[in-house]
Each structure stands twice: as C-alpha cells, then as structure tokens.
Amino acid sequence: MSELSSRMALVGLSPTMKGTIEAERLKRQGIAVVDLGAGEPDFPMPPHVAAAAHAALDQHFTKYTANPGTLELREAIAYRYREDYGVTYAADEIIVTAGGKQALFHAAMTLFGPGDEVITHRPGWPTLIEQIKIAGATPVVVDTDPDQGFAVTPAVLLGAVTPRTRGIVINSPTNPTGALLSEEDARVLATEAAARGLWVVIDLCYEQLIYGKTPHNLPRAFADVLRGRTVICGSASKTYAMTGLRCGWMIGPKSVVQAASALQSHETSNANSIAQKAAVAALTGSQACVADMLAEYQRRRDALIGWLAGEPHLRAVTPRGAFYLFPGVQAFLSPSGCATSMDFADRLLRDEHVVVTPGEAFGAPGHIRLSYAASMDTLEDGAARIVRFARRLAAEA
Ligand code: PLP
C-alpha cells in the first residue's frame, strides 16, 4: 500500500519540471541556455509598485492581515474592475489570495466535489484540471480546434454537459495558446449556464495582456446574467510583473467568498502583507506600465512569428493574448527521430540548448510552447536555433 494518501494518486507533477531541471544542470556547466520556458514576465516590477512594497517593509507592515485580505486592497480590486469593466462588487464579495492559483484552488474546493463533472478546455493550463481532481470532482476536458485559432467556444464547452455537470472552468486569454473566449460567446455561455444552473469559474490571470484592443469584458458578460453563479479569479502576477510576491483574488457571491475565507483561515491565513500593499499601488496607480509592457510583448510576438516563418512547417496560430506562442511540430516528428513533442523538446535542449515546454504539459502533444517573456536578443537567438534544429530533423527523417 502506498504511504501517501489516496488523493495523491490523482495528482501529477507538471511535465514542465523535467526541462527546467535539465536546463539548470546545463547552466551550472556554464552552457549558454536560451530559456523560452518561463511562465512569467521578464520585466522588473514597475517602480511605483516596488516603492509601495519597500514602504510596507519600512513601516513594518509585516504582521497578519485580515484573513480575506486588507479592506484597502479589496476596495482597490473593486475599483479596478469597476473602472475596467463597469461591474460593481463589494469588499465582502472579494478575497485576496496567494496568487491566482490559490484563488482557483479555492473556487474548485468550495464549488466542486465527488460526483460532480467539471468542464474545462485544452490545450490548457494543467493546474485547472489537477485542482478539479484534488477537489474530488471529475474533469471533463474538451479540445479546442487549431483551425479556429484554439478559440474557446460555447458550442465546444456545452457539448460536454451531462446531468452531472456542476460547472465550467474557463481560462481566457488561454495559456498556452493565447486564444480568447469572445465577449459575444461569453454572453451565450452565461445564458446557457444560467438555464442549466451551472457555475462558471473564469481564470482571468492574463486579462490585461490582450493585443489590438480586442473587446474582452467577460466580467460584465457573465455578471449581467449569471452573477450569482460566476466566480472570477484574477492576479497581480502577470499584469504587474510581480509573480514572486504571490497576490491574486477571487470575486464572486458572498457565500462562496465566505467559504473560501474559511478554507484560507486554515491554510495560509492571508496573502503576504507586503504584496498586498504593492498590489494596492499597482491596481490604483497609473496603468501606463501595463500598456508599455503589452506593447513590448506585441513587438516580440510579431518578431518571433517572423523569425520562425523561416521554417514554414513551424506555423503557429497568432496569439491574441498572454505571452506564449504554441506552434505545431508534428511535421518534424518520426518514429526513428523525435517521436513526440516531449522528445522534440528534450533534444532541442540537448542539441541547441533551448528550453521550451512540450505540448504534453498542456494536454496537446505535437506542439511546443515558447514564452516570449524574454528579450528580443534572446528570442532571435532562440528562434534561429529552433529553425536550425527543425531543419536538421526534417533532413534526418
Ligand atoms: N492561470 C494561468 C492560466 C496561469 O498560467 C497562471 C500562472 O502561470 C495562473 C493562473 C496563476 O498565476 P499566479 O498564481 O502567479 O497568479
């Protein structure tokens, strides 16, 4: 019998870890590794946000805070959503968490349990599925279509509804494809979910990283018809380049927020106090820093797509948000060479010292994820190495 609880048999370690460990080993040998694996901004935290964190420390704001987060921060979150989306939430409909990940974990734990089916989509971020499993529910994972830009659509999600379905978990912009749920589709989905009594959890951790001013007012679309059954999970991590500070939030009906608060009171108590002060500055201060970072991501996205176009079989759907490119590598796979995208990523690291994340990590074998949260020079170098590697594989096949 296993020495671990039966719950742990359900939870897998992310396949992304293997590449990271190997990359660390190569770096220790002094090898110049091009790291396109990172799931976090390469920018420093904006100066006014860093200043608020420094001030919190200087003022000894280092004790426990209120369990659901400081009132100041919950009001700052409400302010940001009111400004950005025109939705109004009270402080007791918001809980501050240690990153968006904990907010999503609380959503899964408070809403889903044994006997429930919960629909989510792939390619997608693996944590969403693992959290549903940890909650004891059954994930039902639907595939989005590369020919439709991996768009998350009501048709594909609702097609999986059964009498046991309890909720739907959506991530838009999506990691790893950068695809979106459109505002129009969100309205359709909200209406259908309301008719069926389903919960909708929206992971909006990349909500500020959307290109070309594409309308994406999901909070409003869901709040208008499904407010009592919508849970929004957001984060300061990616928007304000403060992943390490661990600050996110969950917004939803009071009863769900209270349940999450009870859970958090026995778990982490409260999000880091210094991070909470930094997040207030981030959410209430000028958003110009966000626009600047977004513009730079867009330049990098377009440049990277241009460099990879040197190898036509490496085509990727143009991401509409987030900072990842997700090209297919099927054309370079063969039983005698690299049989899978996991093999492709392993050999790319070994031969060309480039870290990418294999599609297997996102339930989408045959692809690789490249993060363009890296400098232009790094991206240019990485793209050249990937193209060289892919051409060599094609020649060997
Ligand atoms: N949701 C998605 C899709 C992510 O990719 C991540 C982080 O990689 C998160 C949520 C959570 O980020 P954090 O816990 O840093 O807020």
Side-chain angles (χ1 to χ4, degrees):
M1 205 167 80
S2 165
E3 60 196 10
L4 303 177
S5 73
S6 54
R7 187 183 308 108
M8 290 317 294
L10 302 170
V11 186
L13 184 68
S14 169
T16 59
M17 292 312 288
K18 198 175 157 203
T20 313
I21 293 165
E22 180 60 11
E24 282 308 317
R25 196 182 66 80
L26 293 173
K27 281 181 199 166
R28 276 199 305 275
Q29 289 174 10
I31 292 171
V33 173
V34 176
D35 194 348
L36 306 183
E40 63 180 346
D42 57 318
F43 297 111
M45 208 156 76
H48 69 286
V49 182
H54 278 288
L57 195 52
D58 290 343
Q59 291 157 17
H60 304 292
F61 191 73
T62 50
K63 308 286 195 223
Y64 293 128
T65 72
N67 156 233
T70 63
L71 182 61
E72 183 190 29
L73 176 52
R74 283 178 290 141
E75 285 179 344
I77 295 164
Y79 163 78
R80 190 73 271 138
Y81 279 71
R82 200 163 58 241
E83 286 289 302
D84 291 349
Y85 301 117
V87 291
T88 308
Y89 283 94
D92 59 3
E93 294 173 294
I94 299 171
I95 176 172
V96 178
T97 56
K101 197 177 253 185
Q102 193 183 28
L104 288 156
F105 186 65
H106 286 168
M109 292 297 281
T110 54
L111 298 175
F112 309 135
D116 296 335
E117 289 180 358
V118 182
I119 299 168
T120 188
H121 48 95
R122 79 179 158 217
W125 189 50
T127 294
L128 299 176
I129 297 173
E130 299 303 311
Q131 290 180 339
I132 293 166
K133 289 200 271 179
I134 295 169
T138 305
V140 175
V141 189
V142 297
D143 290 303
T144 55
D145 183 353
D147 292 335
Q148 289 184 30
F150 293 111
V152 183
T153 63
V156 76
L157 294 167
L158 293 168
V161 172
T162 74
R164 291 163 69 125
T165 305
R166 170 107 169 136
I168 302 176
V169 181
I170 299 159
N171 169 224
S172 179
T174 305
N175 174 8
T177 61
L180 303 179
L181 172 70
S182 75
E183 234 178 72
E184 204 183 345
D185 280 347
R187 289 192 180 278
V188 173
L189 193 59
T191 306
E192 295 294 330
R196 292 168 168 84
L198 303 178
W199 285 93
V200 171
V201 176
I202 358 174
D203 174 1
L204 287 181
C205 287
Y206 295 93
E207 66 190 310
Q208 301 296 346
L209 303 179
I210 295 177
Y211 305 107
K213 297 197 187 334
T214 310
H216 191 259
N217 193 340
L218 269 44
R220 186 65 187 269
F222 282 100
D224 278 352
V225 274
L226 192 72
R227 179 159 176 144
R229 283 185 177 269
T230 298
V231 172
I232 296 169
C233 296
S235 173
S237 288
K238 320 281 178 175
T239 306
Y240 304 106
M242 48 186 276
T243 44
L245 270 75
R246 313 306 302 131
C247 190
W249 47 82
M250 186 179 100
I251 306 175
K254 227 185 272 184
S255 57
V256 181
V257 167
Q258 271 168 6
S261 195
L263 202 59
Q264 182 158 291
S265 74
H266 301 296
E267 209 183 41
T268 48
S269 292
N270 57 260
N272 175 295
S273 59
I274 297 165
Q276 291 191 56
K277 283 287 186 192
V280 169
L283 292 163
T284 58
S286 163
Q287 300 300 294
C289 54
V290 182
D292 290 347
M293 287 188 272
L294 180 63
E296 181 58 20
Y297 286 133
Q298 182 161 353
R299 278 189 345 108
R300 294 169 177 185
R301 178 196 70 171
D302 295 344
L304 182 59
I305 290 173
W307 289 318
L308 291 178
E311 175 43 62
H313 291 110
L314 266 174
R315 282 261 170 76
V317 167
T318 301
R320 304 179 70 196
F323 41 65
Y324 309 108
L325 198 65
F326 199 58
V329 293
Q330 294 96 333
F332 308 101
L333 305 182
S334 65
S336 56
C338 287
T340 64
S341 41
M342 186 87 92
D343 296 340
F344 184 100
D346 283 351
R347 243 188 87 184
L348 179 64
L349 178 57
R350 209 176 55 222
D351 294 2
E352 292 286 351
H353 307 137
V354 180
V355 183
V356 298
T357 311
E360 282 84 345
F362 310 99
H367 295 77
I368 53 172
R369 188 192 76 174
L370 317 180
S371 165
Y372 49 89
S375 72
M376 277 290 191
D377 287 348
T378 303
L379 291 170
E380 186 168 16
D381 186 9
R385 295 187 198 201
I386 292 169
V387 167
R388 187 165 63 211
F389 175 71
R391 288 196 179 136
R392 203 160 58 237
L393 280 189
E396 279 170 20

